[in-house]
Amino acid sequence: MDYKKLRQEMVKDQLITRGINDERVLATFYKVEREKFVPCDLQKDAYGDFPLSIGEGQTISQPYMVALMTQSLELKGCERVLEIGTGSGYQTAILAELTEEVYSVERIKSLSQKADSLLKKMGYSKVKIFVSDGTMGWEKYSPYERILVTAGAKQAPQPLINQLKDEGIMVIPVGSTYSQELKVFRKKKGRVRSKTVERCIFVPLIGKYGWSEGVGNE
Ligand code: SAH
């Protein structure tokens, strides 16, 4: 498989044509090897225009959705970013390419461990990974200039709003367990305003300020 070629085609056909135009974001998608983050039997589909299963009932989002979320964060290079939902670690790697400090929380230990060792092996040694309920945020390193939630929430969890720095941006899918809207929240002088970017479908955000366990499996 010529993954480099597939990666270039993905950037052109799925990202640029749909309006991803931040040059730093595009350069990152040309670079990061998505095939390394999916199970062996799905590597041939790593650059397909759809989400893929990563085990434990979870998914790695479609490349376009990862790019749209990343672009919406408006990263310049020195922000402290909190990601909720490490999953495969692909989005984490993308963030680590684009900014100095990345903290990522995942509730499923096996996924977290796998992503942690892969990210270390790939040289992303500064990323900090934590197994916990990310709806509570990660108080220790707060406040964050950016927060990205990669699972579908009922509403923006209050601890995350609290841990977002003033002038900060939080990107989060909000809606029901089977369909959401990707929202961008901006905090200014303690107040948050949101705008909707796109319709989307994510696995549920499960936790104290999210859905209860078992939801979405019916
Ligand atoms: N960003 C990931 C997408 C993973 S899917 C990637 O690129 O592969 C969403 C992830 O969110 C799943 O791994 C799921 O276990 C996790 N998740 C759901 N609720 C969570 C919570 N409250 N805290 C942390 N992680 C959570």
Side-chain angles (χ1 to χ4, degrees):
M1 277 272 173
D2 186 349
Y3 287 118
K4 189 169 178 200
K5 185 159 173 269
L6 291 177
R7 194 154 55 245
Q8 287 170 343
E9 285 171 0
M10 174 273 282
V11 173
K12 260 202 282 126
D13 303 343
Q14 301 174 35
L15 308 192
I16 295 174
T17 53
R18 291 185 183 132
I20 304 299
N21 55 12
D22 180 325
E23 290 299 333
R24 293 181 71 235
V25 171
L26 292 172
T28 303
F29 279 79
Y30 277 124
K31 179 174 173 191
V32 179
E33 296 164 316
R34 185 172 160 94
E35 69 276 13
K36 299 220 166 124
F37 294 87
V38 304
C40 300
D41 56 330
L42 295 178
Q43 281 183 345
K44 60 180 184 338
D45 295 324
Y47 295 96
D49 193 12
F50 38 78
L52 291 171
S53 168
I54 53 169
E56 307 281 355
Q58 308 303 320
T59 54
I60 175 172
S61 303
Q62 168 198 24
Y64 167 66
M65 193 47 67
V66 181
L68 182 63
M69 292 191 292
T70 308
Q71 178 162 281
S72 302
L73 288 172
E74 298 177 16
L75 294 169
K76 302 286 180 285
C78 49
E79 295 87 354
R80 177 176 288 200
V81 182
L82 174 67
E83 176 193 30
I84 307 302
T86 318
S88 67
Y90 177 64
Q91 171 80 71
T92 322
I94 298 278
L95 294 172
E97 289 283 344
L98 288 165
T99 192
E100 281 296 308
E101 286 184 69
V102 180
Y103 300 83
S104 187
V105 183
E106 167 58 54
R107 63 182 283 274
I108 300 176
K109 194 172 171 190
S110 61
L111 291 178
S112 176
Q113 285 174 336
K114 216 165 142 189
D116 196 14
S117 66
L118 177 60
L119 288 164
K120 291 219 167 75
K121 212 165 83 188
M122 292 177 81
Y124 299 107
S125 49
K126 286 203 312 194
V127 170
K128 283 199 166 53
I129 291 195
F130 185 40
V131 179
S132 182
D133 171 10
T135 67
M136 309 285 286
W138 194 350
E139 181 83 47
K140 187 173 174 191
Y141 298 101
S142 68
Y144 302 92
E145 273 114 11
R146 301 289 187 266
I147 298 179
L148 172 60
V149 180
T150 68
K154 273 181 186 173
Q155 58 200 41
Q158 191 59 44
L160 297 185
I161 295 175
N162 297 346
Q163 290 174 29
L164 184 66
K165 203 169 175 176
D166 208 48
E167 303 290 321
I169 298 176
M170 170 159 69
V171 175
I172 177 170
V174 179
S176 69
T177 53
Y178 48 86
S179 114
Q180 305 89 28
E181 287 178 334
L182 188 68
K183 297 212 177 259
V184 176
F185 286 76
R186 280 170 200 271
K187 196 175 198 177
K188 274 206 176 96
K189 302 203 173 88
R191 290 186 52 189
V192 284
R193 282 165 194 258
S194 75
K195 71 168 192 203
T196 300
V197 180
E198 181 85 277
R199 289 213 67 82
C200 54
I201 302 176
F202 280 82
V203 295
L205 179 74
I206 293 169
K208 186 165 178 209
Y209 293 89
W211 300 99
S212 38
E213 191 131 17
V215 89
N217 298 334
E218 306 81 34

